[in-house]
C-alpha cells in the first residue's frame, strides 16, 4: 500500500512565506515538547499539556516517555460464523488493560492470526484516536478485500457536540408529563418525549444541554451520556413525575421498583386478542389502561362473539364502542393509572340491562393486576375468588408480555473531522452515503442514516462494543465511526488516497499520526447481532 505522504491537499506555494514542509510540520500532531518535558496533545481543541507518565484531561491520551499515545487499545473485530464468515477461527487471547501508558507489546500470535485472516478483520473507531483540526485525514484508512472487491474503511473517533440519546423505557407506569424536564444530579439533561406503544420515551443530552446552559449542566450532561452509552446505570428524576434508574439492556427501576413486564398491548388490543379466551368465563371484562381502556361486551370483539350487553357504565371519554380514554389519572397503579381500586372507573350499571350474578373480570394490560367480582342484588360488584380457568387467561396475558427493558440509542451528526477526515470535498461523502455507496458503522454496529441533509446517524449502544464512548472536557462525547466503501468509490469522492494503509501497517505502526509508535490493539468477535460491516447493504432512511 502507499506510504502516508503526499496527498495532504496543500498547494505547493504557501502563503506568508512559509514552506510547504513548515506548514505540514505545524499542522501535524504535535507531540510538541514544551519548555519543560511536557508535551501538548492536539487531538482536540483543549490542547492539554501533559507531563511524562500522565494522561490528559479526557484520560484518553498520555505522555509516554515523551510520545503522545492513545491510552486505550484500538479494537479490531473479527468475523464470525453468524456474521457471514466461511470459518470461525480462534484468535490467541489477548486483551491489554485499559490504562497502559505505553503501547502494548505486539502479541505475535494474535497479529499473525489477524494477518492470515485479514479479510475477516475490521478495524473499528474504538480507541482509534481523534484528529484536530478537521482537515487532517482520519487516524486509520484501511484497505481490505470483501468478496473479491477492494474496499477501504475510514476509521476515527469523532468528537460530537451535536449528539443525544433516545431512551425507550418499557413500562406502563407514568414517568412524567411529556415535555417535562429530566434531571440528573439536579441538572436538566433532557426531557420526556412522546410515549410509544408500551414504552415511555426520554430524549437526553443534545447540544443545548452540552453547550447552552451552565458549565455544570454541560459537564453532568456529558457524564450522563457517557455512562448510558457505555451501558452503565444512571438515576434520573422527572419534574412532576418519577425517579427512574435506566441502564441499556436492563429493566428500568421506577420509584425503586424494578419493572418486570412490557404490556401485551393497550386495553383495547388486550380485549381483542383474548376475547375468545374470555368468552364463557366472564360476562364482562374490563382491561384497565391509562390510554385506552377496553370493555369486552361493547367492543367489536365482544359484539362479533354475540356477547350479551352488561349495562356497565365507564368513566372517562368514550372513543369508539368498548374503547375509553382518560378513565383515571396516570400513575403507577393498574394499567399505568393511579388506581389501586379498579372499581373506581365504573360509574354504574344500567338496571334494565345488568343482572344480579353477572361475572365481572377486571385486569390490567400486563395481567399484573386482576380481580373477579359478581354483581349482588343491588348491582354492586362484590369480590369473588377467581376461577382457575379465568386465572389461566390472566396468566396468558402475563405470558405474552415481553420483559421490560431500557433501550438507549445514540444519535449524532458527523461533524468536521469525521467528514474532512474522509475527503477534501465532504459533500461527496454525504452524497455517497445517501446513494448507499458507503456503509456507516459505529464500532462495527449498524447505523441508521437519517434521510435529509447531513450525516445524522443512530445506533443501538447494545450493539456497540463495551466502553465505546469517551468524552472531552469541551464538553463533548467521543464515539467511534467507520465509513466503508469500495476503493474505487473512495477515490471518486476525493478520499485521502495517500493515507490508505494495510492491516499490516495498522499493526506495525499504528495510526498515521502516531509517529510510527505501534498502537495497542485488542481483538473481539463481532457481536452476533451485527452483520459484517464490509459488503453489507447500509441501513438507509
Ligand atoms: S482533552 Fe484529551 S484529546 Fe483533548 S487535548 Fe486533552 S488529552 Fe488531548
Amino acid at each position: 500500500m502507499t506510504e502516508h505522504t503526499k496527498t495532504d491537499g496543500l498547494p505547493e506555494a504557501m502563503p506568508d512565506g512559509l514552506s510547504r514542509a513548515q506548514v505540514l510540520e505545524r499542522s501535524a500532531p504535535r507531540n510538541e515538547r514544551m519548555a519543560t518535558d511536557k508535551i501538548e496533545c492536539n487531538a482536540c481543541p483543549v490542547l492539554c499539556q501533559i507531563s511524562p507518565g500522565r494522561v490528559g484531561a479526557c484520560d484518553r491520551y498520555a505522555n509516554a516517555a515523551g510520545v503522545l499515545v492513545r491510552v486505550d487499545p484500538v479494537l479490531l473485530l473479527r468475523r464470525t460464523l453468524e456474521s457471514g464468515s466461511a470459518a470461525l477461527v480462534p484468535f490467541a487471547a489477548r486483551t491489554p488493560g485499559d490504562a497502559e501508558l505505553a503501547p502494548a507489546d505486539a502479541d505475535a500470535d494474535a497479529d499473525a492470526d489477524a494477518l492470515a485472516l485479514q479479510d475477516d478483520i475490521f478495524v473499528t473507531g474504538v480507541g482509534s484516536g481523534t484528529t484536530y483540526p478537521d482537515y487532517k485525514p482520519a487516524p486509520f484508512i484501511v484497505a481490505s478485500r470483501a468478496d473479491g472487491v477492494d474496499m477501504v474503511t475510514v476509521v476515527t473517533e469523532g468528537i460530537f457536540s451535536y449528539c443525544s440519546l433516545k431512551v425507550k423505557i418499557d413500562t406502563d407506569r407514568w414517568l412524567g408529563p411529556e415535555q417535562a424536564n429530566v434531571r440528573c444530579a439536579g441538572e436538566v439533561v433532557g426531557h420526556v418525549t412522546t410515549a410509544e406503544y408500551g414504552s415511555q420515551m426520554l430524549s437526553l443530552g443534545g447540544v443545548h444541554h452540552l453547550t447552552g446552559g451552565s458549565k455544570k449542566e454541560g459537564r453532568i450532561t456529558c457524564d450522563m451520556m457517557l455512562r448510558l452509552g457505555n451501558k452503565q446505570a444512571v438515576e434520573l428524576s422527572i419534574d412532576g413525575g418519577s425517579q427512574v434508574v435506566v441502564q441499556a439492556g436492563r429493566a428500568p427501576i421506577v420509584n425503586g421498583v424494578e419493572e418486570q413486564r412490557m404490556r401485551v398491548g393497550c386495553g383495547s388490543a388486550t380485549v381483542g386478542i383474548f376475547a375468545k379466551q374470555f368468552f364463557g368465563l366472564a360476562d364482562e371484562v374490563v382491561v384497565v389502561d391509562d390510554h385506552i381502556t377496553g370493555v369486552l361486551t361493547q367492543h367489536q370483539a365482544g359484539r362479533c362473539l354475540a356477547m350479551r350487553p352488561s349495562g356497565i357504565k365507564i368513566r372517562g371519554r368514550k372513543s369508539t364502542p368498548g374503547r375509553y380514554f382518560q378513565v383515571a389519572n396516570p400513575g403507577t397503579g393498574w394499567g399505568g393509572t393511579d388506581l389501586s381500586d379498579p372499581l373506581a372507573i365504573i360509574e354504574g350499571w344500567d338496571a334494565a340491562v345488568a343482572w344480579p350474578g353477572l361475572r365481572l373480570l377486571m385486569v390490567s394490560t400486563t395481567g399484573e393486576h386482576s380481580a373477579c367480582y359478581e354483581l349482588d342484588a343491588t348491582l354492586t360488584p362484590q369480590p369473588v375468588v377467581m376461577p382457575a380457568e379465568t386465572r389461566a387467561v390472566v396468566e396468558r396475558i402475563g405470558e405474552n408480555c415481553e420483559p421490560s427493558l431500557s433501550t438507549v440509542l445514540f444519535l449524532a451528526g458527523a461533524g468536521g473531522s469525521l467528514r474532512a477526515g474522509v475527503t477534501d470535498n465532504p459533500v461527496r461523502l454525504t452524497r455517497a452515503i445517501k446513494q448507499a455507496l458507503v456503509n456507516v458503522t459505529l464500532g462495527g454496529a449498524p447505523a441508521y442514516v437519517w434521510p435529509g441533509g447531513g450525516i445524522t446517524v443512530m445506533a443501538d449502544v447494545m450493539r456497540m462494543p463495551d466502553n465505546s464512548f469517551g468524552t472531552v472536557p469541551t464538553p463533548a462525547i467521543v464515539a467511534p465511526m467507520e465509513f466503508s466503501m469500495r476503493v474505487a468509490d473512495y477515490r471518486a469522492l476525493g478520499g485521502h488516497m495517500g493515507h490508505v494503509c494495510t492491516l499490516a501497517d495498522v499493526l506495525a505502526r499504528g495510526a498515521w499520526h502516531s509517529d510510527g509508535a505501534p498502537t495497542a490493539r485488542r481483538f473481539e468477535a463481532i457481536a452476533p447481532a451485527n452483520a459484517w460491516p464490509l459488503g453489507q447493504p447500509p441501513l438507509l432512511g
Side-chain angles (χ1 to χ4, degrees), residues 41-44 46-48 50 56-58 60-61 130 472-473:
C41 173
N42 65 348
C44 93
V46 178
L47 302 176
C48 293
I50 309 175
C58 63
R60 296 166 56 244
Y61 282 89
T130 45
V472 290

Side-chain angles (χ1 to χ4, degrees), residues 74 86 117 166 177 189 219 253 317 404 424 441 501:
V74 64
L117 292 167
K166 305 304 174 200
V189 296
R219 182 172 51 76
I253 300 171
R317 183 159 67 82
S404 281
D424 289 332
T441 49
C501 63

Side-chain angles (χ1 to χ4, degrees), residues 181-197:
N181 285 334
V182 177
R183 293 178 188 270
C184 181
E187 293 294 319
V188 178
V189 296
H191 62 273
V192 179
T193 187
T194 312
E196 300 297 346
Y197 201 77

Side-chain angles (χ1 to χ4, degrees), residues 68-143:
L68 182 70
V69 296
R70 179 70 178 87
V71 171
D72 308 294
V74 64
L75 175 65
L76 291 87
L77 296 176
R78 64 179 169 82
R79 186 150 49 163
T80 64
L81 282 174
E82 293 86 351
S83 55
S85 174
L88 179 62
V89 180
F91 266 112
R94 176 172 176 278
T95 305
D98 282 345
E100 294 172 45
L101 292 184
D105 294 338
D107 182 317
D109 290 344
D111 285 0
D113 284 347
L115 290 171
L117 292 167
Q118 51 187 303
D119 290 350
D120 287 330
I121 300 294
F122 183 76
V123 182
T124 75
V126 179
S128 65
T130 45
T131 49
Y132 188 78
D134 302 336
Y135 61 74
K136 292 178 184 170
F140 296 103
I141 302 177
V142 188

Side-chain angles (χ1 to χ4, degrees), residues 461-473:
V461 303
M462 286 303 290
R463 297 177 77 166
M464 296 173 66
D466 291 347
N467 296 315
S468 286
F469 293 89
T471 63
V472 290

